[in-house]
Amino acid sequence: MSQPHELQPEYDENGRPNPYRSASQWRHQESGAYAKHAGEARDPHTASANTKDLTNFLNSTRVEPEQPSTDGAGSFQPIVIDEGHGLTDGARDAQALSHDGKEVICGPLLNYRRQEGNVWYGSVLIVTKGGGKVQHFQPTLHIGRVETADSQHGLVGEGAGASGANHTNGAINTQHGTEVLGKCLYSDPRNTFWQFSITCDMLEVETKWAYSITDVRYKSSTQSSTNYFFIPATTESMRIMFHSCNGFSVGTDEDAWSGPALWNDVLRRHAENPFHVMIGGGDQIYNDGIRVDGPLRPWSDIGNPKKRRDYPFPGKLRDECDEYYLHNYLRWYSTEPFAEANGQIPQLNIWDDHDIIDGFGSYVNEFMKCDVFRGIGGTAHKYYMLFQHHLAPPASTYTTDAPTTMEAGDGVDKNQLQDTFVSEPTLQSEPGYIVGHKPGPYVAEHSMNMFSRLGARIAFLGIDARTERTRHQVNYPETYDLIFNRLRSELGAAQQSGNPYKHMILLLGIPIAYPRLTWLENVFSSPLIAPMKFLNRRFGFGGGLFNHFDGSVDLLDDLDDHYTAKTHKKERNSFVERLQTICSEFSIRITILGGDVHLAALGRFYSNPELKIPAVHDHRYMVNVVSSAIVNKPPPAAIANLLAKRNKIHHLNADTDETLMSLFDKDPGDSNKTMNSNHVTMPSRNYAILTENSPNNRAATANGSVNGAVTNGTDAEHAAPAGDHEFEGKDGHAFLHKGEAGAGTKHKAASPATHGKNNDGSLDCCIRVEIDQHNREGHTEPYGLTIPLLEHLPEKYPPPHHHRLHLPGRGSRPGTSARPGTTGAASAGNRPGSGAATAASH
């Protein structure tokens, strides 16, 4: 087995170009053995040994509109079909046991939906073996608050928080437990998806809850039958864990990266101080293998782009792709320790390209409109809804064999519904979703944006930036209007109630405050590339430099995906300015979460320092926490160092600057991953933790601590409060407020003992970075900073003036451009050799 970073041959052993190897070695990094394996032709009929045509199953009529009613106690009388006709009694009994629908092959998966008043709403999903149009069994979930016994302090009653309850001494208080009947979302002869809607009353203290599902058998004999999760007190905000890129790129030597090791660290931190919500920023699963060892292999082997574009997506291929997505989800969501986290930490997810296939939405329009891409988009969406949102999927998905599915609307393919039950759709009735008005251009489904409350003072907004994406847009203009209308409604209602939101977490699949790579886009789009593309199509010249889909340079789809790409520049700037307006209207601090780039970094927008606005009053100050990947391999240090050198100070408009912050005071552990001047990008696997410094925490003393409450500084030098109103930052290469001072491993937000223990309403952020990829325990190094509360003073600091043509003295800072709205590089920052560039480019 070759090393992960070894370059692979451009041709396979038969002399054919290898279409699956990227010229960008840090993107796929396939092993030699895997490249050889991928280069072998595969029989499409044996791509999946378990694939069966739906027509081989028992025939039935149309989908049932709903399940037969129950009496509320779980009794269920299905229509019984004799599937054991002609068998002996003993054989029939054995068959009945193996197909009784009680074997759980995936789950439980726990989701958070919303909070209304003092009621927490969520759901649990399990997948059982077997099924069909008729369900012979309906599972029941039992849920209740936990009572625990502490040997030193006696009995701790209902509502015990993390300090009074742990994962070993808790037991369900069955006397007060509640039964919840499972709802069938989808069932075919392979599997049945059961959803349990759960509601929990929130108390004045943090509570621990336990749930179990009765009368089922788990595939693993060691799997616990009881799971626990935590809900914050009514007066507290949620502790947040954020991750993205939760899987491996095609051909990665997964063992060399110790598998999903960082989930062990997530569970350790959860045991120390439990997370109330787990936010997935996209690529929760990698489905790219569908083109290598899955049913799309013969299609992707077609050399002629026109033939590939005109290839149909018949029912047989649709069934095979459906089988691939189903089994890949079942495999990955049952992989430990990720599977354990799924049952204990409630999830909120958006999707990105790898949840479908690499680059989906960012290839050229003519290719994205082809039948195969539209077909896998619909199939991936089906399982995205089931596994990641616990919602019923559409009755059928796109296929060229059924013209009704090729039109936007509710077209049904009766062949997909043979012996299959699909629940009535519920998306439109779920209050937590902001559903787009019209289907996406390549996925004939509506975008699923989300708004929710994360406890007492934090709002959550998740943007579906994949369903409507093209190479030239991220979302429809109408969708932005829907989102901002909903946002104003929710924030205004909270303000009028006397309990306003103080922070908002904005979830985006891709970073929005990130270094530009316009020069690289220009090279890849240059006319000079055209002859190379021709030679590649005719003779395979250039090998993996060009992708196997639309024939463009392999990295161009990644670059076009970025908000900072030149094709998305206007849309991005308008989006950020609308967010600034929301901040000024409601005095709310927005913190952006973004993944995708396989690096840890921290970007931020902020007011032009010449405006002299302290960060605590700056409605333009927004941090972009860039955390990825939690599982996938990072790029080489050379890529991270290149991005650091491109970390200029950009001018979004006359009033707003943006750049990455110096967060990494050292490399993790004793490693030497980056050049000494790079303190802004970290090429290691990672995830993030965000916790409010609750105003209910006990007050900090002058020396920085009382019962764990501390100031944002790391020592006496930085002992001023986080909201020091007199402090003014110099530029984005230096710290802009006291919460950024001393950012890194020694900051108070990096220590579990002091993280989130202040009481000024600020937000502590910690990015935990893997120390050693070979350590399967996934130990991490923490890097912290504090994000201040916003106290907007409109009379002193007026709203944005984006149309202002010039600011006096705008070009007077050393090293910046004299033209407003252009990009310049500021001074080298607060450390010698900080890597700040001195030349300007846009």
Side-chain angles (χ1 to χ4, degrees):
M1 182 72 70
S2 61
Q3 295 302 312
H5 296 299
E6 182 178 328
L7 287 173
Q8 305 303 322
E10 294 183 0
Y11 299 89
D12 64 20
E13 59 189 20
N14 298 317
R16 297 179 303 174
N18 180 359
Y20 307 110
R21 179 193 158 272
S22 170
S24 171
Q25 134 185 11
W26 60 270
R27 188 175 181 206
H28 293 311
Q29 296 176 358
E30 298 168 349
S31 64
Y34 191 91
K36 180 180 178 181
H37 163 75
E40 297 174 357
R42 303 287 294 277
D43 184 347
H45 298 289
T46 60
S48 175
N50 296 323
T51 300
K52 295 182 179 179
D53 292 340
L54 290 181
T55 55
N56 291 335
F57 295 121
L58 294 173
N59 289 328
S60 186
T61 56
R62 300 277 300 225
V63 59
E64 294 178 353
E66 58 185 35
Q67 295 182 17
S69 61
T70 68
D71 59 7
S75 60
F76 195 83
Q77 298 296 326
I79 302 171
V80 178
I81 299 175
D82 182 9
E83 295 178 330
H85 179 70
L87 298 178
T88 64
D89 290 343
R92 187 179 292 109
D93 291 343
Q95 186 188 67
L97 180 62
S98 63
H99 295 87
D100 62 0
K102 296 183 179 182
E103 181 182 351
V104 178
I105 59 174
C106 186
L109 312 177
L110 177 64
N111 270 22
Y112 169 67
R113 293 197 180 278
R114 66 188 188 280
Q115 177 186 339
E116 294 181 4
N118 293 335
V119 180
W120 180 100
Y121 291 83
S123 61
V124 173
L125 180 84
I126 60 171
V127 185
T128 57
K129 184 177 181 180
K133 198 172 189 65
V134 175
Q135 292 79 52
H136 299 268
F137 150 77
Q138 185 177 25
T140 301
L141 178 142
H142 293 265
I143 184 169
R145 280 194 296 271
V146 171
E147 285 187 351
T148 60
D150 185 291
S151 59
Q152 293 182 337
H153 300 98
L155 184 68
V156 180
E158 287 186 357
S163 60
N166 57 53
H167 292 275
T168 58
N169 65 354
I172 296 181
N173 180 355
T174 54
Q175 182 179 0
H176 300 289
T178 300
E179 289 188 356
V180 181
L181 293 176
K183 174 184 178 181
C184 180
L185 297 178
Y186 176 87
S187 181
D188 62 30
R190 300 168 301 176
N191 301 114
T192 300
F193 290 78
W194 294 103
Q195 183 244 53
F196 306 86
S197 295
I198 55 178
T199 58
C200 303
D201 292 330
M202 302 174 68
L203 303 181
E204 294 181 356
V205 293
E206 181 182 52
T207 52
K208 180 181 180 181
W209 291 73
Y211 69 92
S212 62
I213 301 167
T214 59
D215 202 26
V216 295
R217 302 184 307 274
Y218 288 98
K219 188 176 181 180
S220 171
S221 59
T222 60
Q223 183 169 345
S224 174
S225 60
T226 301
N227 282 275
Y228 304 90
F229 65 98
F230 292 81
I231 293 177
T234 55
T235 57
E236 300 298 339
S237 300
M238 294 186 181
R239 285 186 290 273
I240 301 165
M241 177 265 183
F242 168 62
H243 69 93
S244 66
C245 300
N246 182 42
F248 288 104
S249 293
V250 170
T252 302
D253 186 344
E254 299 180 14
D255 192 60
W257 291 91
S258 303
L262 260 64
W263 285 104
N264 286 316
D265 197 65
V266 170
L267 291 173
R268 278 193 297 271
R269 304 305 154 199
H270 181 58
E272 290 175 355
N273 208 8
F275 301 119
H276 299 125
V277 67
M278 179 166 72
I279 296 177
D283 300 337
Q284 275 70 251
I285 185 171
Y286 275 58
N287 286 313
D288 306 336
I290 194 171
R291 68 172 177 84
V292 176
D293 53 8
L296 292 190
R297 175 60 190 269
W299 172 74
S300 59
D301 276 345
I302 297 173
N304 186 303
K306 184 179 185 305
K307 291 182 179 179
R308 195 185 306 122
R309 187 170 60 244
D310 296 340
Y311 198 89
F313 194 72
K316 185 176 185 300
L317 181 56
R318 194 220 70 87
D319 293 347
E320 292 173 346
C321 290
D322 186 284
E323 185 86 358
Y324 179 89
Y325 281 108
L326 170 63
H327 283 280
N328 201 39
Y329 261 105
L330 292 174
R331 175 193 65 85
W332 185 245
Y333 274 68
S334 299
T335 300
E336 297 292 356
F338 175 51
E340 183 178 351
N342 286 333
Q344 296 184 10
I345 311 172
Q347 303 174 62
L348 273 174
N349 296 323
I350 62 171
W351 69 343
D352 206 29
D353 58 337
H354 293 282
D355 295 276
I356 311 172
I357 197 171
D358 184 21
F360 189 95
S362 290
Y363 298 112
V364 297
N365 183 60
E366 292 76 11
F367 184 75
M368 284 303 313
K369 289 165 60 178
C370 77
D371 290 326
V372 170
F373 259 41
R374 293 173 70 185
I376 62 172
T379 309
H381 178 267
K382 168 185 175 179
Y383 289 109
Y384 169 62
M385 291 190 73
L386 284 168
F387 280 94
Q388 298 197 40
H389 290 273
H390 305 180
L391 294 172
S396 54
T397 63
Y398 181 98
T399 170
T400 51
D401 282 355
T404 56
T405 67
M406 300 170 66
E407 303 169 1
D410 300 321
V412 172
D413 176 10
K414 63 181 181 180
N415 291 325
Q416 296 180 42
L417 300 177
Q418 292 182 12
D419 202 18
T420 297
F421 172 87
V422 185
S423 175
E424 286 292 305
T426 57
L427 174 61
Q428 296 288 349
S429 63
E430 286 286 346
Y433 290 92
I434 308 168
V435 182
H437 277 316
K438 60 182 179 179
Y442 313 128
V443 180
E445 304 297 339
H446 297 257
S447 62
M448 297 164 54
N449 310 281
M450 295 178 287
F451 182 90
S452 186
R453 174 183 286 272
L454 302 183
R457 289 167 294 275
I458 300 179
F460 169 80
L461 176 63
I463 306 292
D464 178 352
R466 188 57 52 182
T467 303
E468 299 173 356
R469 176 182 288 273
T470 71
R471 203 162 194 162
H472 299 286
Q473 78 172 21
V474 179
N475 288 101
Y476 295 133
E478 300 90 340
T479 299
Y480 285 115
D481 291 340
L482 279 174
I483 289 169
F484 280 97
N485 288 341
R486 174 69 176 272
L487 202 53
R488 282 189 166 84
S489 174
E490 295 282 357
L491 298 182
Q495 201 171 62
Q496 291 178 5
S497 72
N499 296 301
Y501 292 106
K502 297 297 184 180
H503 292 271
M504 187 177 83
I505 301 298
L506 172 62
L507 178 61
L508 303 174
I510 295 173
I512 198 167
Y514 197 67
R516 272 69 164 160
L517 291 174
T518 307
W519 61 277
L520 197 54
E521 292 180 72
N522 291 336
V523 169
F524 289 161
S525 302
S526 168
L528 297 176
I529 295 291
M532 296 180 62
K533 292 173 68 174
F534 173 78
L535 292 173
N536 175 262
R537 288 195 301 268
R538 292 294 300 271
F539 308 109
F541 176 78
L545 175 64
F546 301 93
N547 72 59
H548 48 278
F549 289 140
D550 64 0
S552 299
V553 176
D554 196 22
L555 275 179
L556 193 56
D557 67 286
D558 278 345
L559 297 176
D560 283 341
D561 243 12
H562 286 203
Y563 279 102
T564 51
K566 58 184 178 182
T567 56
H568 299 314
K569 177 182 175 182
K570 291 183 179 179
E571 180 179 354
R572 168 189 181 270
N573 290 0
S574 174
F575 182 40
V576 173
E577 289 170 349
R578 292 180 78 169
L579 291 172
Q580 292 176 344
T581 302
I582 290 291
C583 292
S584 66
E585 285 182 16
F586 296 97
S587 192
I588 188 172
R589 178 71 72 198
I590 293 179
T591 297
I592 305 166
L593 305 181
D596 182 74
V597 293
H598 300 183
L599 287 166
L602 198 136
R604 67 259 209 264
F605 300 97
Y606 54 94
S607 287
N608 170 14
E610 293 177 4
L611 297 176
K612 306 295 184 182
I613 305 177
V616 72
H617 299 309
D618 185 5
H619 64 275
R620 302 181 187 93
Y621 179 85
M622 289 185 283
V623 168
N624 186 179
V625 180
V626 182
S627 180
S628 76
I630 192 171
V631 170
N632 208 354
K633 61 197 174 305
I639 298 296
N641 293 336
L642 172 64
L643 288 168
K645 289 180 178 180
R646 301 295 301 176
N647 182 38
K648 313 200 183 277
I649 292 180
H650 298 267
H651 305 318
L652 180 113
N653 55 42
D655 298 332
T656 308
D657 285 359
E658 56 177 288
T659 191
L660 297 183
M661 188 189 102
S662 295
L663 177 64
F664 304 105
D665 54 330
K666 62 182 289 292
D667 287 340
D670 298 325
S671 65
N672 187 21
K673 293 178 178 291
T674 61
M675 63 183 182
N676 293 335
S677 59
N678 179 8
H679 300 282
V680 298
T681 58
M682 180 56 65
S684 294
R685 299 193 292 185
N686 62 90
Y687 66 95
I689 301 171
L690 296 97
T691 309
E692 181 194 34
N693 287 291
S694 170
N696 301 314
N697 290 340
R698 296 184 61 181
T701 60
N703 66 5
S705 67
V706 165
N707 292 336
V710 298
T711 61
N712 283 343
T714 57
D715 49 38
E717 180 185 357
H718 304 131
D724 185 350
H725 297 198
E726 302 304 318
F727 179 79
E728 295 177 355
K730 297 178 180 178
D731 61 61
H733 290 309
F735 58 82
L736 296 173
H737 61 90
K738 290 298 183 184
E740 291 184 357
T745 56
K746 297 180 177 61
H747 194 278
K748 81 100 177 174
S751 169
T754 52
H755 177 96
K757 297 302 190 332
N758 209 336
N759 65 350
D760 60 2
S762 60
L763 199 65
D764 273 354
C765 174
C766 174
I767 299 181
R768 301 201 67 98
V769 177
E770 183 177 40
I771 296 173
D772 179 7
Q773 72 181 65
H774 302 293
N775 186 327
R776 292 192 173 272
E777 293 302 310
H779 294 291
T780 59
E781 180 101 55
Y783 299 82
L785 80 154
T786 297
I787 301 166
L789 201 67
L790 174 60
E791 299 175 10
H792 186 48
L793 303 177
E795 67 283 355
K796 186 173 182 181
Y797 306 108
H801 297 290
H802 306 308
H803 57 279
R804 179 165 37 180
L805 296 178
H806 184 68
L807 278 177
R810 180 59 167 158
S812 63
R813 287 178 289 158
T816 61
S817 169
R819 291 186 297 110
T822 61
T823 301
S827 57
N830 61 335
R831 266 200 306 270
S834 66
T838 57
S841 70
H842 194 52

